[in-house]
C-alpha cells in the first residue's frame, strides 16, 4: 500500500475514534458522569488515575516529528492542607457521641475518621504515595508518547518547581521515569523563590478586586446547594438536637471534602457512600461554580481571572523562542495555575465565557481540567531531517488532545506562529487595560 495513503487512513481512523469518544463524553450530563464515576465529584481532589476514559492520540502529519515539550504540571495527590479540615468533622461527631446522639452509621463514621486522623500528623499538604505514583505514570507515558524527544541521546530537560515540597517531589518522580527510560538524559532541576513570579504568580490588584465580585454569588450557591437533612438522619438520631447544636450544612461540606480526598490515599477507608448521587452532584456543583468564578471567564469577575497566569504564558512563549534543539521544559506547581492557564490558552471549552451559572456544568466541568497531577503539555513539531515547513503545536490537557483558539485545517495540530501571535496580542490587550 502507498505509505502516504496508509498514513492518511490511519489518521482518519484515529480522528474518527476521537470524535466518537468526544461525542459520547459530551452526550452525558455531569450528573450522569458522576453517577457512573463518583470519584469525579471530588473536583481538585480527583485522583488523576480515576479520570474519564483515555482518548487515543492523533498521529503527527506526514513528515513531522516532535522536538520540544513545554509543560506545566500540578503536584500529585496530597493530604488536606489544614488540621481543621479533619478535626472540625471529628469534633462535631465527638460532641454528638458524648450526648448519645450518633446513629450506628454515625459511630462507624467517627471511628473511621479517628483511625485515619493520626496519619495526618505533620503530613498536612504532603504528597501521598498515590500522588507519587501518578507522576511516575505521567513521566513513563511521556517517554512512550514522545520517544523522539525523551529517548534521544543526551536530550536536555529543564525541570523547575515551586518551593513547596509536594511539588518538588512530584517533579522528582517524573524525572526518575525519564532517567530510567533514557540514562543519557541531561536533567537540570531547579527550585527557587526567584522562579515563583511565573510558577505561582501572585494576583495583581486588578484580579483581586475582580475576584471579590464573585464572593457573594459563590456563598449563595454554597448555601442553596447544600441539603444536609437526609445525611443528618443517617448520622444523628435526634434532629432537633442537630438543629440546636450543629451547623449541619457546614458539617456536610467539610465531611464531603474529607470523603472526596480519601482517594488520595492507599486506604480501605471509604466515606463517599455516605452521600447520595444527588448530594455528590450538588456538592460538586458548589465547587465547580466557585472555581469557575475564581479562575474561569465569568462576567461576574470581569472575565479577567485567567490572566493570573500572564507571567506563566509569557515564560512559555519566551522559552519556546530560544529552542534550537530537541529538548523539554517541565514546570511544576499547583492547580490554581493549571486551571487558569488552561482558560488563558483557551483549551477546549476551558476559556469560554458562561454567564448562566445554573447551566455552567453543561459545558464547564472542573474535573476535566484539574485533577491531582493535572498537566498541560504543549508539543512542538517540525519537519523531519531539516526539511522546510511550519512549526506545529499540539496541546494536551491531562494527556488529552484539545482544540486551541486559532484556525487549523489539521486538528489537533496548529501553526505555532498563529498561536504565538494570538497569545501575545491577548496579553497586550490585557496589559493595556482590556481583556
Amino acid at each position: 500500500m502507498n505509505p502516504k495513503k496508509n498514513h492518511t487512513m490511519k489518521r482518519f481512523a484515529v480522528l474518527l475514534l476521537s470524535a466518537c469518544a468526544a461525542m459520547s463524553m459530551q452526550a452525558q450530563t455531569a450528573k450522569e458522569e458522576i453517577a457512573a464515576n463518583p470519584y469525579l465529584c471530588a473536583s481538585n481532589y480527583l485522583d488523576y488515575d480515576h479520570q474519564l476514559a483515555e482518548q487515543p492520540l492523533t498521529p503527527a502529519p506526514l513528515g513531522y516529528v516532535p522536538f520540544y515539550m513545554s509543560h506545566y504540571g500540578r503536584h500529585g495527590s496530597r493530604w488536606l492542607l489544614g488540621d481543621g479540615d479533619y478535626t472540625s468533622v471529628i469534633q462535631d461527631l465527638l460532641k454528638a457521641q458524648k450526648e448519645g446522639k450518633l446513629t450506628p452509621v454515625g459511630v462507624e463514621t467517627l471511628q473511621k475518621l479517628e483511625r485515619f486522623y493520626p496519619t495526618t500528623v505533620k503530613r498536612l499538604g504532603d504528597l501521598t504515595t498515590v500522588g507519587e505514583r501518578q507522576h511516575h505514570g505521567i513521566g513513563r507515558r511521556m517517554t512512550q508518547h514522545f520517544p523522539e524527544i525523551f529517548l534521544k541521546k543526551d536530550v536536555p530537560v529543564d525541570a523547575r518547581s515551586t518551593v513547596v515540597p509536594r511539588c518538588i517531589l512530584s517533579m522528582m518522580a517524573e524525572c526518575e521515569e525519564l532517567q530510567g527510560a533514557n540514562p543519557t538524559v541531561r536533567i537540570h532541576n531547579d527550585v527557587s523563590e526567584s522562579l515563583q513570579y511565573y510558577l505561582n504568580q501572585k494576583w495583581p490588584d486588578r484580579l483581586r478586586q475582580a475576584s471579590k465580585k464573585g464572593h457573594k454569588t459563590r456563598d449563595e450557591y454554597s448555601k442553596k446547594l447544600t441539603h444536609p437533612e437526609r445525611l443528618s438522619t443517617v448520622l444523628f438520631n435526634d434532629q432537633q438536637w442537630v438543629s440546636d447544636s450543629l451547623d449541619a450544612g457546614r458539617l456536610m461540606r467539610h465531611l464531603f471534602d474529607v470523603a472526596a480526598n480519601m482517594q488520595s490515599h492507599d486506604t480501605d477507608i471509604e466515606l463517599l457512600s455516605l452521600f447520595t448521587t444527588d448530594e455528590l452532584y450538588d456538592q460538586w456543583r458548589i465547587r465547580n461554580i466557585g472555581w469557575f468564578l475564581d479562575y474561569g471567564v465569568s462576567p461576574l469577575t470581569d472575565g479577567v481571572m485567567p490572566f493570573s497566569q500572564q507571567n506563566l504564558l509569557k515564560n512559555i512563549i519566551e522559552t519556546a523562542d530560544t529552542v534550537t534543539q530537541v529538548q523539554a521544559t517541565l514546570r511544576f506547581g499547583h492547580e490554581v495555575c493549571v486551571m487558569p492557564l488552561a482558560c488563558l490558552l483557551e483549551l477546549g471549552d476551558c476559556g469560554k465565557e458562561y454567564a448562566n451559572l445554573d447551566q455552567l456544568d453543561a459545558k464547564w466541568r472542573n474535573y476535566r481540567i484539574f485533577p491531582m497531577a493535572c498537566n498541560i503539555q504543549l508539543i512542538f513539531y517540525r519537519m523531519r531531517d531539516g526539511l522546510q515547513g511550519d512549526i506545529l503545536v499540539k496541546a494536551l490537557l491531562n494527556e488529552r488532545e484539545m482544540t486551541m483558539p486559532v484556525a487549523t485545517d489539521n486538528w489537533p495540530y496548529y501553526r505555532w506562529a498563529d498561536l504565538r501571535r494570538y497569545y501575545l496580542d491577548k496579553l497586550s490587550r490585557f496589559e493595556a487595560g482590556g481583556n
Side-chain angles (χ1 to χ4, degrees):
M1 180 180 286
N2 183 302
K4 186 172 183 178
K5 184 177 180 181
N6 187 38
H7 179 276
T8 302
M9 290 179 67
K10 287 182 179 178
R11 179 177 174 78
F12 176 77
V14 171
L15 286 173
L16 185 60
L17 286 170
S18 299
C20 290
M23 289 174 65
S24 175
M25 183 173 66
Q26 284 298 107
Q28 282 194 304
T29 66
K31 187 174 181 179
E32 288 169 341
E33 287 185 341
I34 289 170
N37 181 1
Y39 292 114
L40 299 177
C41 74
S43 297
N44 59 317
Y45 300 144
L46 172 62
D47 175 3
Y48 192 84
D49 296 325
H50 284 151
Q51 293 182 84
L52 298 164
E54 295 182 7
Q55 298 175 20
L57 298 183
T58 307
L62 191 62
Y64 275 87
V65 291
F67 73 98
Y68 175 55
M69 175 187 285
S70 184
H71 157 284
Y72 188 99
R74 180 196 185 190
H75 59 77
S77 286
R78 57 165 170 77
W79 274 267
L80 295 176
L81 297 175
D83 188 57
D85 295 334
Y86 299 101
T87 58
S88 65
V89 179
I90 293 173
Q91 288 167 359
D92 281 350
L93 295 179
L94 280 173
K95 179 179 180 180
Q97 183 185 52
K98 289 176 182 178
E99 300 190 33
K101 302 301 182 182
L102 286 182
T103 65
V105 173
V107 171
E108 181 185 7
T109 301
L110 176 58
Q111 291 172 343
K112 287 181 177 180
L113 291 170
E114 288 182 319
R115 178 158 62 94
F116 182 79
Y117 179 68
T119 72
T120 73
V121 176
K122 296 185 179 181
R123 278 293 191 181
L124 297 172
D126 282 359
L127 190 74
T128 66
T129 55
V130 173
E132 183 182 19
R133 196 159 59 239
Q134 291 159 356
H135 280 282
H136 275 285
I138 293 167
R140 182 170 60 254
R141 288 188 296 276
M142 282 180 178
T143 67
Q144 293 168 350
H145 293 158
F146 308 107
E148 298 90 345
I149 298 174
F150 293 104
L151 298 187
K152 182 177 175 59
K153 182 175 173 57
D154 296 326
V155 60
V157 173
D158 184 30
R160 301 183 173 201
S161 169
T162 68
V163 296
V164 179
R166 61 181 175 272
C167 302
I168 299 169
L169 290 173
S170 297
M171 172 180 68
M172 298 309 297
E174 282 193 25
C175 289
E176 285 173 4
E177 287 295 331
L178 303 184
Q179 192 81 61
N182 179 5
T184 72
V185 64
R186 294 187 289 112
I187 298 174
H188 170 69
N189 294 117
D190 199 1
V191 179
S192 170
E193 288 285 353
S194 68
L195 308 176
Q196 293 289 100
Y197 77 95
Y198 71 88
L199 287 179
N200 192 11
Q201 177 183 349
K202 292 182 179 180
W203 284 2
D205 287 341
R206 182 179 175 189
L207 268 68
R208 284 198 295 270
Q209 294 304 314
S211 176
K212 291 178 181 178
K213 298 178 181 180
H215 289 179
K216 180 181 178 182
T217 299
R218 184 172 59 236
D219 292 344
E220 288 172 350
Y221 273 98
S222 181
K223 293 175 182 177
K224 183 170 73 171
L225 294 173
T226 298
H227 306 290
E229 296 80 15
R230 187 209 62 85
L231 180 63
S232 291
T233 65
V234 172
L235 298 175
F236 307 104
N237 57 30
D238 185 339
Q239 299 313 300
Q240 186 59 52
W241 179 87
V242 172
S243 179
D244 295 340
S245 306
L246 299 177
D247 182 340
R250 180 187 63 83
L251 171 61
M252 183 181 195
R253 290 188 291 270
H254 287 194
L255 178 58
F256 173 84
D257 283 339
V258 176
N261 195 52
M262 279 298 171
Q263 62 189 284
S264 293
H265 302 275
D266 289 319
T267 179
D268 62 351
I269 296 175
E270 189 281 318
L271 296 168
L272 277 183
S273 60
L274 290 169
F275 301 84
T276 66
T277 296
D278 284 344
E279 290 164 351
L280 295 177
Y281 171 64
D282 283 342
Q283 289 299 304
W284 169 76
R285 282 189 68 202
I286 292 169
R287 291 151 182 81
N288 194 53
I289 290 168
W291 283 100
F292 176 71
L293 290 174
D294 275 345
Y295 297 103
V297 185
S298 169
L300 284 177
T301 50
D302 303 332
V304 299
M305 302 313 295
F307 287 96
S308 65
Q309 301 312 304
Q310 65 180 122
N311 288 346
L312 178 53
L313 179 53
K314 284 182 180 178
N315 178 264
I316 288 170
I317 294 171
E318 291 169 357
T319 305
D321 286 345
T322 69
V323 173
T324 59
Q325 64 178 31
V326 176
Q327 63 189 82
T329 305
L330 308 182
R331 308 168 184 86
F332 293 85
H334 307 269
E335 81 270 45
V336 295
C337 304
V338 174
M339 172 166 278
L341 179 62
C343 296
L344 188 59
L345 292 171
E346 300 177 47
L347 304 183
D349 290 333
C350 296
K352 293 182 180 177
E353 179 177 303
Y354 298 103
N356 189 337
L357 296 178
D358 289 320
Q359 298 178 5
L360 177 65
D361 60 289
K363 286 287 186 180
W364 203 92
R365 302 175 190 175
N366 60 19
Y367 51 74
R368 294 179 179 173
I369 307 173
F370 71 157
M372 294 289 189
C374 58
N375 58 93
I376 294 172
Q377 301 176 16
L378 301 179
I379 317 301
F380 290 68
Y381 292 75
R382 63 187 176 189
M383 290 293 288
R384 165 186 324 273
D385 299 327
L387 298 176
Q388 294 299 309
D390 295 321
I391 300 296
L392 302 181
V393 173
K394 172 167 70 175
L396 303 182
L397 175 59
N398 303 323
E399 303 176 77
R400 291 157 174 82
E401 294 172 341
M402 306 301 290
T403 58
M404 301 183 80
V406 299
T408 183
D409 58 2
N410 206 10
W411 185 86
Y413 298 91
Y414 296 81
R415 293 180 67 247
W416 172 237
D418 296 338
L419 287 166
R420 183 181 184 280
R421 185 183 312 111
Y422 179 89
Y423 291 137
L424 288 175
D425 288 347
K426 184 174 182 175
L427 292 171
S428 294
R429 289 195 302 272
F430 174 73
E431 290 167 356
N435 59 6

